[in-house]
Amino acid sequence: MTDNTVSEIAIQFSDQSLVLLNICLGFIMFGIALGIDPKDFKLVAKRPKSTAVGVISQFLLLPAATFLIVWIMQPAPALALGMILVASCPGGNISNFISSISGANVALSVSLTGLATLITPLFTPLNFEFWAHSLADTSLYLQSFHLEFIDILKTVVLLLVIPLLLGLWVRNKFRALSQKIEKPIRILSLIILVGFIAVALANNFSTFIDYLYIVFLLVLVHNGVAFAIGYFAGKAARLPEADRRTVSIETGIQNSGLGLIIIFTFFDGNGGMAIIAAWWGIWHIVAGLLLAYYFKYRDRRAGIQKPIQS
């Protein structure tokens, strides 16, 4: 998997499309915030161990595991950078839904989503900078781009943190209205985001087909490891079963939309990176639903209606 031709591919988005993609991601975070009740954050204090394991799994263990996967599988630098970037992003917006159908701790999922968003401006740029420069090939490849830590930080704050805080304010001030518009906003924004991901793939469909087996294998392994890391980190910490599932889902469902925006903004629409982020955005939904089905199947086999959460 050392073919570097994929590193030279660029997916072009117009300035208008990029602005719309930015608005879409901010809209998604606004919709997520409308569904967050301040009491959900009390779980951070009530269950510090579960919260700590969730944060460690997502922001420390997953990036480190990604480094090992890249080191072992030796993909082209652009594909490797795409994997590192996805692993550096916070959890995706669909994680709360997957948790709700998996017998997981939904309140913990919501609190982790909010907390991860708030700390992402620090951890996403740091993780990407550190792990991307820890490999000779990716470090050398990065030199062809003008990339500043502060620029990524500003982008993350603008697209994630500000819409989240705005959504929390709207929910607090206009609770009845927020409850009415929350679900439509989240559904609409998700449809738009999936559409953008589809366009990112369609714009370079022939190349995606050429590298399908590589991209599919990389994302399959990467995403599977992410889910496993979360679950077994929770098991090692002796968390309740429902909390283990939540940590697994929060680690395996990543905000690939943020990854795509960073790629189009700072990496000139690099095709290798974009294909990884775009395919991850599709695959983690499929894998998350399959994982939810497995958890429910396991519960039925054990005669459990709902996993013990305390």
Side-chain angles (χ1 to χ4, degrees), residues 178-190:
S178 66
Q179 290 175 345
K180 289 181 180 179
I181 66 176
E182 173 203 348
K183 188 173 181 180
I185 284 179
R186 295 184 70 169
I187 292 175
L188 177 61
S189 58
L190 179 61

PDB file of all heavy atoms in Angstrom, residues 178-190:
ATOM      1  N   SER A 178     -37.176  25.082  21.187  1.00  0.00           N
ATOM      2  CA  SER A 178     -36.039  24.210  20.906  1.00  0.00           C
ATOM      3  C   SER A 178     -36.461  22.747  20.825  1.00  0.00           C
ATOM      4  O   SER A 178     -35.936  21.984  20.014  1.00  0.00           O
ATOM      5  CB  SER A 178     -34.955  24.390  21.972  1.00  0.00           C
ATOM      6  OG  SER A 178     -35.400  23.945  23.242  1.00  0.00           O
ATOM      7  N   GLN A 179     -37.420  22.350  21.650  1.00  0.00           N
ATOM      8  CA  GLN A 179     -37.896  20.972  21.619  1.00  0.00           C
ATOM      9  C   GLN A 179     -38.627  20.660  20.317  1.00  0.00           C
ATOM     10  O   GLN A 179     -38.593  19.532  19.830  1.00  0.00           O
ATOM     11  CB  GLN A 179     -38.802  20.707  22.824  1.00  0.00           C
ATOM     12  CG  GLN A 179     -38.060  20.686  24.154  1.00  0.00           C
ATOM     13  CD  GLN A 179     -38.988  20.542  25.348  1.00  0.00           C
ATOM     14  OE1 GLN A 179     -40.196  20.718  25.244  1.00  0.00           O
ATOM     15  NE2 GLN A 179     -38.417  20.228  26.507  1.00  0.00           N
ATOM     16  N   LYS A 180     -39.290  21.679  19.744  1.00  0.00           N
ATOM     17  CA  LYS A 180     -40.021  21.481  18.490  1.00  0.00           C
ATOM     18  C   LYS A 180     -39.089  21.384  17.285  1.00  0.00           C
ATOM     19  O   LYS A 180     -39.342  20.617  16.355  1.00  0.00           O
ATOM     20  CB  LYS A 180     -41.011  22.628  18.279  1.00  0.00           C
ATOM     21  CG  LYS A 180     -42.206  22.617  19.219  1.00  0.00           C
ATOM     22  CD  LYS A 180     -43.143  23.778  18.907  1.00  0.00           C
ATOM     23  CE  LYS A 180     -44.343  23.777  19.846  1.00  0.00           C
ATOM     24  NZ  LYS A 180     -45.264  24.913  19.572  1.00  0.00           N
ATOM     25  N   ILE A 181     -38.040  22.193  17.287  1.00  0.00           N
ATOM     26  CA  ILE A 181     -37.188  22.271  16.098  1.00  0.00           C
ATOM     27  C   ILE A 181     -35.960  21.361  16.163  1.00  0.00           C
ATOM     28  O   ILE A 181     -35.278  21.174  15.154  1.00  0.00           O
ATOM     29  CB  ILE A 181     -36.727  23.714  15.854  1.00  0.00           C
ATOM     30  CG1 ILE A 181     -35.807  24.192  16.996  1.00  0.00           C
ATOM     31  CG2 ILE A 181     -37.917  24.636  15.689  1.00  0.00           C
ATOM     32  CD1 ILE A 181     -35.223  25.583  16.765  1.00  0.00           C
ATOM     33  N   GLU A 182     -35.670  20.794  17.345  1.00  0.00           N
ATOM     34  CA  GLU A 182     -34.451  19.989  17.505  1.00  0.00           C
ATOM     35  C   GLU A 182     -34.381  18.847  16.505  1.00  0.00           C
ATOM     36  O   GLU A 182     -33.403  18.712  15.759  1.00  0.00           O
ATOM     37  CB  GLU A 182     -34.381  19.435  18.935  1.00  0.00           C
ATOM     38  CG  GLU A 182     -33.224  18.458  19.135  1.00  0.00           C
ATOM     39  CD  GLU A 182     -33.443  17.510  20.303  1.00  0.00           C
ATOM     40  OE1 GLU A 182     -34.383  17.744  21.105  1.00  0.00           O
ATOM     41  OE2 GLU A 182     -32.682  16.536  20.384  1.00  0.00           O
ATOM     42  N   LYS A 183     -35.404  18.004  16.481  1.00  0.00           N
ATOM     43  CA  LYS A 183     -35.366  16.820  15.620  1.00  0.00           C
ATOM     44  C   LYS A 183     -35.329  17.177  14.141  1.00  0.00           C
ATOM     45  O   LYS A 183     -34.500  16.638  13.397  1.00  0.00           O
ATOM     46  CB  LYS A 183     -36.549  15.909  15.930  1.00  0.00           C
ATOM     47  CG  LYS A 183     -36.477  14.568  15.210  1.00  0.00           C
ATOM     48  CD  LYS A 183     -37.588  13.636  15.675  1.00  0.00           C
ATOM     49  CE  LYS A 183     -37.491  12.285  14.977  1.00  0.00           C
ATOM     50  NZ  LYS A 183     -38.575  11.364  15.443  1.00  0.00           N
ATOM     51  N   PRO A 184     -36.197  18.092  13.654  1.00  0.00           N
ATOM     52  CA  PRO A 184     -36.113  18.463  12.230  1.00  0.00           C
ATOM     53  C   PRO A 184     -34.746  19.015  11.833  1.00  0.00           C
ATOM     54  O   PRO A 184     -34.238  18.713  10.752  1.00  0.00           O
ATOM     55  CB  PRO A 184     -37.212  19.530  12.087  1.00  0.00           C
ATOM     56  CG  PRO A 184     -38.183  19.218  13.165  1.00  0.00           C
ATOM     57  CD  PRO A 184     -37.348  18.736  14.318  1.00  0.00           C
ATOM     58  N   ILE A 185     -34.152  19.836  12.713  1.00  0.00           N
ATOM     59  CA  ILE A 185     -32.845  20.413  12.414  1.00  0.00           C
ATOM     60  C   ILE A 185     -31.787  19.324  12.291  1.00  0.00           C
ATOM     61  O   ILE A 185     -30.972  19.319  11.357  1.00  0.00           O
ATOM     62  CB  ILE A 185     -32.442  21.439  13.496  1.00  0.00           C
ATOM     63  CG1 ILE A 185     -33.220  22.742  13.304  1.00  0.00           C
ATOM     64  CG2 ILE A 185     -30.934  21.723  13.445  1.00  0.00           C
ATOM     65  CD1 ILE A 185     -32.905  23.798  14.342  1.00  0.00           C
ATOM     66  N   ARG A 186     -31.798  18.379  13.216  1.00  0.00           N
ATOM     67  CA  ARG A 186     -30.781  17.328  13.198  1.00  0.00           C
ATOM     68  C   ARG A 186     -30.949  16.436  11.983  1.00  0.00           C
ATOM     69  O   ARG A 186     -29.965  16.027  11.353  1.00  0.00           O
ATOM     70  CB  ARG A 186     -30.838  16.529  14.495  1.00  0.00           C
ATOM     71  CG  ARG A 186     -30.472  17.351  15.713  1.00  0.00           C
ATOM     72  CD  ARG A 186     -30.427  16.537  16.981  1.00  0.00           C
ATOM     73  NE  ARG A 186     -29.293  15.614  16.983  1.00  0.00           N
ATOM     74  CZ  ARG A 186     -28.904  14.932  18.049  1.00  0.00           C
ATOM     75  NH1 ARG A 186     -29.552  15.081  19.195  1.00  0.00           N
ATOM     76  NH2 ARG A 186     -27.879  14.122  17.989  1.00  0.00           N
ATOM     77  N   ILE A 187     -32.180  16.106  11.618  1.00  0.00           N
ATOM     78  CA  ILE A 187     -32.427  15.254  10.452  1.00  0.00           C
ATOM     79  C   ILE A 187     -32.002  15.971   9.174  1.00  0.00           C
ATOM     80  O   ILE A 187     -31.308  15.406   8.325  1.00  0.00           O
ATOM     81  CB  ILE A 187     -33.916  14.859  10.376  1.00  0.00           C
ATOM     82  CG1 ILE A 187     -34.275  13.924  11.539  1.00  0.00           C
ATOM     83  CG2 ILE A 187     -34.220  14.179   9.037  1.00  0.00           C
ATOM     84  CD1 ILE A 187     -35.749  13.590  11.615  1.00  0.00           C
ATOM     85  N   LEU A 188     -32.414  17.239   9.041  1.00  0.00           N
ATOM     86  CA  LEU A 188     -32.084  18.009   7.843  1.00  0.00           C
ATOM     87  C   LEU A 188     -30.583  18.188   7.691  1.00  0.00           C
ATOM     88  O   LEU A 188     -30.023  17.988   6.596  1.00  0.00           O
ATOM     89  CB  LEU A 188     -32.765  19.376   7.901  1.00  0.00           C
ATOM     90  CG  LEU A 188     -32.451  20.342   6.745  1.00  0.00           C
ATOM     91  CD1 LEU A 188     -32.898  19.749   5.423  1.00  0.00           C
ATOM     92  CD2 LEU A 188     -33.120  21.697   6.987  1.00  0.00           C
ATOM     93  N   SER A 189     -29.913  18.550   8.768  1.00  0.00           N
ATOM     94  CA  SER A 189     -28.473  18.787   8.695  1.00  0.00           C
ATOM     95  C   SER A 189     -27.712  17.508   8.386  1.00  0.00           C
ATOM     96  O   SER A 189     -26.721  17.529   7.656  1.00  0.00           O
ATOM     97  CB  SER A 189     -27.967  19.412   9.999  1.00  0.00           C
ATOM     98  OG  SER A 189     -28.257  18.586  11.107  1.00  0.00           O
ATOM     99  N   LEU A 190     -28.197  16.380   8.921  1.00  0.00           N
ATOM    100  CA  LEU A 190     -27.534  15.104   8.638  1.00  0.00           C
ATOM    101  C   LEU A 190     -27.695  14.734   7.177  1.00  0.00           C
ATOM    102  O   LEU A 190     -26.748  14.258   6.533  1.00  0.00           O
ATOM    103  CB  LEU A 190     -28.119  14.002   9.528  1.00  0.00           C
ATOM    104  CG  LEU A 190     -27.519  12.598   9.322  1.00  0.00           C
ATOM    105  CD1 LEU A 190     -26.027  12.608   9.619  1.00  0.00           C
ATOM    106  CD2 LEU A 190     -28.234  11.580  10.210  1.00  0.00           C
TER     107      LEU A 190
END
